[in-house]
Amino acid sequence: MSSGDQRLPLTVITGYLGAGKTTLVNHLLRHADGRRIMVLVNDFGDIAIDADLIESQEGDTLILANGCICCSMGGDLFYALSDALDRQPRPDHLLIEASGVADPTRISEIARAEPELRLDGTIALLDALGFAGLVDDAQIGSSVVRQIAAADLIVVSKSDLQSPDALSELKVQVAALAPTARQIEASFGRVPLEVLLGSLSSAEVDEIPQGCANRDHAGHDHAHHDHTEDHEDLYSRWSLSRDCIFGQQALAEVLKDLPAGLLRLKGFVKLDGRWALVQAVGGRVEIESLPRVPDHIKHTTLVAIGLKGQMDTAELDRLFSR
Amino acid sequence: MQTVIYAARKIITMVPNRPEASHVAVRDGRVLAVGSLEEVAGWAESGQAGSERAGSERAETGSGDFRLDESFADKVLLPGFVEGHAHMMAGGVWQFTYVGFEDRISPEGVLWGGLKDIEAVTSRLRQIESELEPDAPLIAWGFDPIFLTAHRLNRFDLDQVTMDRPIAVIHSNFHLMTVNSMALEMAQYDRNTNVMGVDRGEDGEPTGELQEMAAMFPVMRRLKIDIRSLARTEGGIRAYGKVCHRSGVTTATDLINDLPLEDVELMASITGEESYPARLVPVLNAHTAPAEEIAAQALALREKSTDKLRLGSIKIITDGSIQGFTARMRWPGYYKGPDHGIWNIPPEQLMTTVETLNAAGVHMHIHVNGDESSEVAIEALARALRKNPNPDHRHVLQHCQLADAAQFRKIRNLGLCVNLFANHIFYFGDKHYELTVGPERAERIDACATALSEGVPLAIHSDAPVTPMGPLFTAWCAVNRVTPSGRVLGAAERISVEDALRAVTLGPAYTLHLDHEVGSIEVGKKADFVVLEDDPLSVDPMALKDIGVWGTVLAGRLQPVS
């Protein structure tokens, strides 16, 4: 958010070797959309940043033409994070590409502990073709299971190469490991930025028509996005802007019932005499008290993105008019 | 060049033909001869080969062109100890206040008495606090809750020291710390905090104990506790030399370092001073770049080696620690407690990394704690060596704490070395018996006797500052395998004092490809000695750790500790 929250949002990207982390990171950097994303990678052996994105290199740091930065952690997360927080100007979003076997909670817990960081989410990638074999691997299985269990969003790559039957079996298996996480199928890392990174620019907030509930506004203008991928029509959006006041308890109840296909929900909710910042990624919901909101926010304002056909926008309307 | 003959009560050489001697002759910083006075004096009398200024120097005592030095007449000389696995930060960490259970001597020679209860800890902190600058945080290290069992150190204890400045007491394992209320406040920890590792009491309030990096991060950041810089400053490098010196170590590793060029230059310059008391072997962190680049960097570093700074080896870390439940264990896993076994590098990436580095001829140290990680590392090395036979590679499995006999046989067959963590038997043995791996596997932890009987080149280490550097103590652990509870942990894995002494001298020298220069007292090798107050081969083996270290000799230069 543009104001009210100065914390640096942190997203952890986890997944075993070959699951598509590098592709996803490249996709994100290519579609950073003006955000200065800083990516920390375990080492440069894990990640190959597309050469055309790179402007210059300073030691272990790659400077990208669009203002993004990519740094090697060299196995030392503590200093990489400290340096990221101390960097001037501070990046808009921090992305950590964990090693193929790291326990992502060891990284995400830092974001929960550090007052200047905000955990934006843990995204796990899994390879639809290789996953079943990995889970059963005596040496790797437990690491892979831990990654999936820690995730808020699970991006299933190479799903187009897997048979429909095997794919639905896989989904059941993954859902059992991560009951509250949301699964997204994607080829070549093509997932919209707003799904991967929850932070919402003020421009996006401005776009929300004030005063009425909106559903699935297909004509929504994303001119400032580079959403040219054909996978864009896999997602639907919903937003709400309404002059209404929620009770704290009522809000918590509503957020417990979010529809299954919802990937992210974010916005400001007017409570009695104060504001709450609401952020949901996958099944994880955070409600935080805010001292103030950006000037242009006049009343309860929420946006959501979900999987088309799975996020029931009518259900969202009903929930928030309760 | 003058020849000096040192007479000693005993010289233990590590050389089979003359394992013990009374005299050693030193010339040009090297061992000229070892034997009786009559034998070694023969060099001075016969021809002066290699002495360009024969006759120009007058003997002070004795006959011929040599000087007989009797300083060590009541001392015992051994090859200078070689610490094959320790860290440079063992020096710099002394900028914090020591609050451990055992007595320790700082690099500056100050004895810091062991603190036997929490009262003693807070009392020392109070004293140090009164001497600090107004805005400085109070940071302490070495605290070990295993030994202070009355109650768990908490913020209330530390609040009694002061409420007006933040305090952080880093535990001896560096994975935990206890902080006072002010430090909690700075990190914004309170009863609403729900972060893994922020310990909370029955009242829901944080107790002050912070476990693991995530919970410690906000405090370390705000108190500017910079562990990395401890190993990178001139002061840190000098302090490490003193730590080595006091424990009788003349060759010491720094077993993982990113080795940027400016750091290498600083180390080369400092170790190049004649008075710097040890030879250093910093080992390159292989996790910072792709294997091909690491190989190139290691080979380039090798060329930068100097007489007292040896470069070119690399380190790979495969898993975590046993006491942290993060070592990778084979079936049946951990005994009690959580299974967090964590790879630090995916096994298939280990395979390719090891293959690339072995093919490039780079010497590797591979950290393996659990028996699954040792298994995978052995397999990776077997494949790499099958593909690119690399005679005399001497790749080392570091720690290798839970390897079983079958793994040691494979290790031998592949020509690998092990450097076992003998100090661990004392410091963590009881916990391993009762909690982490259970009685049977705890007894085979750091199986020195099996390694030797299977013919594996053996070194033992301290991993300082995780446990204190002190090769005599390390040897004591391998010889006695006694734990703080009085248990003998794996009686059959005890080794003889002779073998243990070899495992802190020639053994580690071999694992560093330095056994042709150091590790034994024999003709041609560096005149690097440790000078002891008593004879480790005649004292009660339980007293091995208590033998005083007079100092060392480095390249013939006498370096008394006091």
Side-chain angles (χ1 to χ4, degrees), chain B residues 410-477:
Chain B
K410 276 196 177 179
I411 287 168
R412 171 201 59 210
N413 290 345
L414 291 166
L416 304 171
C417 313
V418 296
N419 190 346
L420 303 182
F421 193 173
N423 285 22
H424 204 92
I425 301 165
F426 176 78
Y427 281 98
F428 303 95
D430 286 327
K431 190 175 179 187
H432 293 328
Y433 187 96
E434 291 152 13
L435 193 63
T436 58
V437 299
E440 184 188 348
R441 287 178 300 174
E443 286 176 354
R444 77 156 197 248
I445 209 157
D446 298 293
C448 299
T450 299
L452 288 177
S453 68
E454 297 298 349
V456 177
L458 172 72
I460 53 181
H461 68 268
S462 69
D463 200 12
V466 176
T467 73
M469 189 186 292
L472 284 172
F473 177 80
T474 303
W476 175 90
C477 291

Side-chain angles (χ1 to χ4, degrees), chain A:
Chain A
M1 295 279 172
S2 56
S3 66
D5 188 356
Q6 300 301 313
R7 295 172 299 171
L8 174 58
L10 168 69
T11 300
V12 184
I13 296 191
T14 180
Y16 193 63
L17 305 177
K21 287 183 301 209
T22 301
T23 311
L24 186 84
V25 167
N26 270 300
H27 175 83
L28 269 170
L29 292 174
R30 195 170 286 283
H31 300 95
D33 187 26
R35 278 179 239 219
R36 289 167 307 112
I37 300 171
M38 181 166 187
V39 183
L40 302 178
V41 297
N42 201 50
D43 65 45
F44 283 153
D46 283 339
I47 188 157
I49 298 293
D50 295 342
D52 62 308
L53 294 175
I54 300 170
E55 187 174 82
S56 61
Q57 177 161 10
E58 298 165 9
D60 285 346
T61 304
L62 296 178
I63 311 292
L64 274 52
N66 62 6
C68 294
I69 304 160
C70 187
C71 279
S72 162
M73 295 191 279
D76 200 334
L77 179 62
F78 179 90
Y79 292 102
L81 268 178
S82 301
D83 293 348
L85 283 168
D86 293 340
R87 197 174 178 90
Q88 292 296 337
R90 196 179 263 188
D92 298 324
H93 201 109
L94 189 59
L95 201 70
I96 296 189
E97 196 211 275
S99 93
V101 281
D103 177 355
T105 59
R106 290 184 172 240
I107 303 172
S108 58
E109 280 298 308
I110 299 177
R112 287 159 50 82
E114 168 55 52
E116 291 176 42
L117 288 171
R118 183 179 71 74
L119 178 60
D120 188 58
T122 301
I123 300 169
L125 280 100
L126 71 84
D127 169 357
L129 294 177
F131 185 72
L134 281 179
V135 167
D136 291 336
D137 186 294
Q139 289 168 359
I140 292 304
S142 62
S143 300
V144 172
V145 165
R146 201 150 38 208
Q147 292 168 356
I148 298 301
D152 300 308
L153 297 175
I154 297 166
V155 177
V156 181
S157 63
K158 301 180 195 166
S159 54
D160 49 334
L161 304 176
Q162 184 58 285
S163 73
D165 283 355
L167 205 55
S168 50
E169 205 173 298
L170 175 72
K171 285 189 164 181
V172 172
Q173 189 184 13
V174 170
L177 296 173
T180 62
R182 305 293 197 257
Q183 297 181 38
I184 310 165
E185 291 171 35
S187 297
F188 306 106
R190 287 181 198 152
V191 182
L193 189 74
E194 65 205 284
V195 170
L196 297 172
L197 308 185
S199 51
L200 193 62
S201 67
S202 54
E204 283 171 290
V205 175
D206 284 342
E207 277 176 32
I208 301 168
Q210 304 277 305
C212 60
N214 294 268
R215 70 187 64 174
D216 235 347
H217 33 100
H220 195 112
D221 178 16
H222 287 285
H224 60 290
H225 281 196
D226 181 15
H227 283 168
T228 52
E229 292 102 17
D230 46 3
H231 290 259
E232 186 59 12
D233 60 2
L234 294 171
Y235 301 93
S236 67
R237 290 175 179 76
W238 170 89
S239 62
L240 169 88
S241 181
R242 181 183 291 159
D243 190 6
C244 53
I245 293 175
F246 284 78
Q248 180 145 11
Q249 192 58 36
L251 178 64
E253 291 298 320
V254 163
L255 293 171
K256 271 184 200 156
D257 293 334
L258 294 173
L262 180 137
L263 300 171
R264 277 191 188 268
L265 170 85
K266 176 153 180 143
F268 303 99
V269 175
K270 203 168 186 179
L271 302 176
D272 192 13
R274 58 201 173 88
W275 289 87
L277 171 65
V278 172
Q279 308 189 70
V281 51
R284 187 165 60 81
V285 178
E286 277 176 24
I287 310 170
E288 291 167 278
S289 251
L290 276 189
R292 62 191 177 89
V293 292
D295 291 342
H296 62 279
I297 300 293
K298 303 299 179 207
H299 38 247
T300 294
T301 303
L302 287 163
V303 293
I305 184 165
L307 295 168
K308 184 163 277 182
Q310 291 183 46
M311 182 175 76
D312 185 345
T313 52
E315 174 64 18
L316 278 169
D317 287 342
R318 266 195 305 279
L319 274 175
F320 283 94
S321 57
R322 270 202 324 221

Side-chain angles (χ1 to χ4, degrees), chain B residues 243-292:
Chain B
V243 167
C244 296
H245 178 207
R246 294 194 170 276
S247 55
V249 170
T250 51
T251 300
T253 48
D254 175 24
L255 214 74
I256 197 155
N257 192 317
D258 290 352
L259 293 176
L261 213 53
E262 63 268 28
D263 288 23
V264 173
E265 282 165 6
L266 182 64
M267 282 188 264
S269 147
I270 293 173
T271 57
E273 296 168 10
E274 197 192 5
S275 61
Y276 191 81
R279 304 178 195 281
L280 292 189
V281 186
V283 171
L284 178 67
N285 178 2
H287 295 275
T288 60
E292 294 77 13

